[in-house]
C-alpha cells in the first residue's frame, strides 16, 4: 500500500514541477543544495549507487534506494529513470515519511 503512495506522491510532485530526473540534473541540484530528497532505483548498477550515495552523503541530502528504473520512470511520466530528485521540502518530507514507513522493503542509506 505504501509503495503505491510513494509513487503517487512522486507523480504529484512531478506535475507540480518539483521533481527532476536523470543523472546530470540530479547531480546538478544536489551539488547546488536544491535537492531535498534523492531516490535511486534499486536495479541501478552498484557503481552508480555508490556514486549517488557518496555525493548525497557529502552534500547532506537524504537518499533512498527504492523501486525499479521502470517504476520510477513510469510514475513521473517518462521512460526508465535511474534517479529522481525532489526539490520541494513539503513533498520531500511526505515521501520520506512513506519511505520510512515501508523500511522493511526499502534499502536505506543515510
Amino acid at each position: 500500500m505504501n509503495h503505491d503512495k510513494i509513487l503517487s506522491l512522486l507523480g504529484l510532485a512531478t506535475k507540480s514541477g518539483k521533481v527532476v530526473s536523470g543523472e546530470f540534473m540530479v547531480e546538478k541540484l544536489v551539488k547546488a543544495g536544491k535537492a531535498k530528497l534523492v531516490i535511486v532505483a534499486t536495479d541501478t548498477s552498484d557503481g552508480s549507487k555508490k556514486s549517488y550515495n557518496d555525493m548525497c552523503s557529502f552534500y547532506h541530502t537524504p537518499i533512498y534506494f527504492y523501486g525499479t528504473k521502470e517504476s520510477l520512470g513510469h510514475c513521473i511520466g517518462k521512460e526508465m529513470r535511474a534517479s529522481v530528485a525532489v526539490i520541494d521540502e513539503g513533498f520531500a518530507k511526505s515521501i520520506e515519511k512513506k519511505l520510512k514507513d515501508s523500511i522493511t522493503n526499502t534499502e536505506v542509506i543515510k
Side-chain angles (χ1 to χ4, degrees), residues 99-106:
L99 285 164
K100 286 180 180 177
D101 289 346
S102 67
I103 200 159
T104 57
N105 297 322
T106 308

Side-chain angles (χ1 to χ4, degrees), residues 28-51:
K28 181 178 175 183
L29 290 176
V30 168
K31 289 182 177 180
K34 294 182 181 178
K36 306 301 180 198
L37 173 68
V38 172
I39 299 174
V40 178
T42 56
D43 57 349
T44 302
S45 72
D46 290 340
S48 291
K49 285 180 182 178
K50 181 181 180 342
S51 176

Side-chain angles (χ1 to χ4, degrees), residues 9-14 16-21 76 84-87 95:
L9 278 171
L10 269 176
L12 188 59
T14 301
S16 300
K18 305 298 182 187
V19 171
V20 297
S21 63
I76 63 170
V84 295
V86 180
I87 58 175
I95 294 168

